[in-house]
Amino acid sequence: MLTSGGDCQSLNATMRGVAKTLYENVEDVTIYGFLDGYKGLMYGEYRKMSSRDFSGILTEGGTILGTSRQPFKLMKMPDTDGKDKVQLMKSTYKRLKLDCLVMLGGNGSHKTANLLREEGLNVVTLPKTIDNDLWGTDMTFGFQSAVNIATNAIDCIHTTAASHGRVFIVEVMGHKAGWLTLHAGISGGADIILIPEIPYNIKYVVDAITKRKKQGKRFTILAVAEGALSVDDAALSKKEFKAKRKDWQYPSISYEVAHQIQDLTGEEVRITVPGHTQRGGEPCPYDRVLSTRLGAAAAEMIIRGEFGYMAGIRNNQIVSVPLDEVAGKLKTVNPDNPIIKEAKLIGICFGDEPIKKN
Ligand code: F6P
């Protein structure tokens, strides 16, 4: 078993779900916990686990196994000693005579899991990420816990924004997908939500702020995803975008948006970046239930010998999703998603052209 990529709440709860199901239902079980993700599998760094290791961890954030980012694009390149990383992982698997590798990870980690499957390893995976951007599952564990934290950040900003009559930006995690910003933005009552999937025009952002002001509202709150993009930036080629960002004067997109709002409205703008707090702390009850269900389902897949799948959830039913369907695909927010339309109906601005009145 290993946890890979950025951590999140509920990794431990998920491992507990897998392990408890195996210990409960299989006569003779040995679980090796590889340390720091795929690195542990490469270099044979592991702990032989016992059922005690999985007790008392339901509410514990982080991962008892540690994790690391091992980018997929570097997987096929030799390590610093010139060794083939995939071969290293395969040889640890063979040496320990493993029946299955259980991987808890997000997008990049699923590409590697699929590669190991193609190389003949038995692999079962579980969908982890606060970004909720994994293909094949409606929900990833970690997401709802992060929504709670980001929402709380916006809630706290409300009072100070109201006292001072300021414009506030809360920058929410998510470089490629706006799920977290969208959900935290709506649940925190943000007035403007900017996500990567809907490039913004600063004119509409400013119009929304001015409109609120005219309505006598003293403050405006923006929930801005780390990966939010202006229409101009969205029109750039990858190369042009990289070049622009190389000489960028801002630490992140919120600072550029703040600068523009300040210039165009004269309003005082403040920025809050909750950052990695969004990945920390204990899992929320929703995630604990989801992790327990997914963990039990993954263990059942192992018992049935159903390898090469991720345990996911669709329409509240647990499903097995083939790894080659999951790997390399991103589940982003469709701008036509009804949730966007509903948010717009209550007056939330997404930085694109507002809906015309009847
Ligand atoms: O993928 C999860 C995530 O938290 C993203 O939302 C964020 O952009 C990224 O990881 C941050 O990565 P790191 O922890 O490596 O800085």
Side-chain angles (χ1 to χ4, degrees), residues 179 182-183 186 193 195 198 332-348 350 352 355:
W179 294 110
L182 177 64
H183 283 254
I186 292 175
I193 297 176
I195 58 174
I198 306 179
T332 53
V333 179
N334 183 339
D336 294 326
N337 189 317
I339 196 172
I340 304 274
K341 188 181 151 216
E342 288 138 14
K344 283 183 176 174
L345 282 173
I346 73 149
I348 297 176
F350 282 83
D352 57 348
I355 304 174

Side-chain angles (χ1 to χ4, degrees), residues 6-7 69 128-131 133 172-176 180 226 276 279:
D7 75 340
R69 289 198 186 274
K128 164 240 71 163
T129 167
I130 65 163
D131 294 340
D133 59 355
V172 180
M173 272 190 167
H175 272 296
K176 292 186 182 144
L180 185 53
E226 285 174 315
H276 287 77
R279 291 209 319 232

Side-chain angles (χ1 to χ4, degrees), residues 20 85 87 116 127 167-169 185 194 259 286 291 325 345:
K20 275 192 170 250
K85 293 173 190 160
Q87 289 310 319
L116 294 175
V167 173
F168 258 97
I169 296 180
L194 304 182
H259 191 157
Y286 180 96
S291 287
E325 272 182 30
L345 282 173

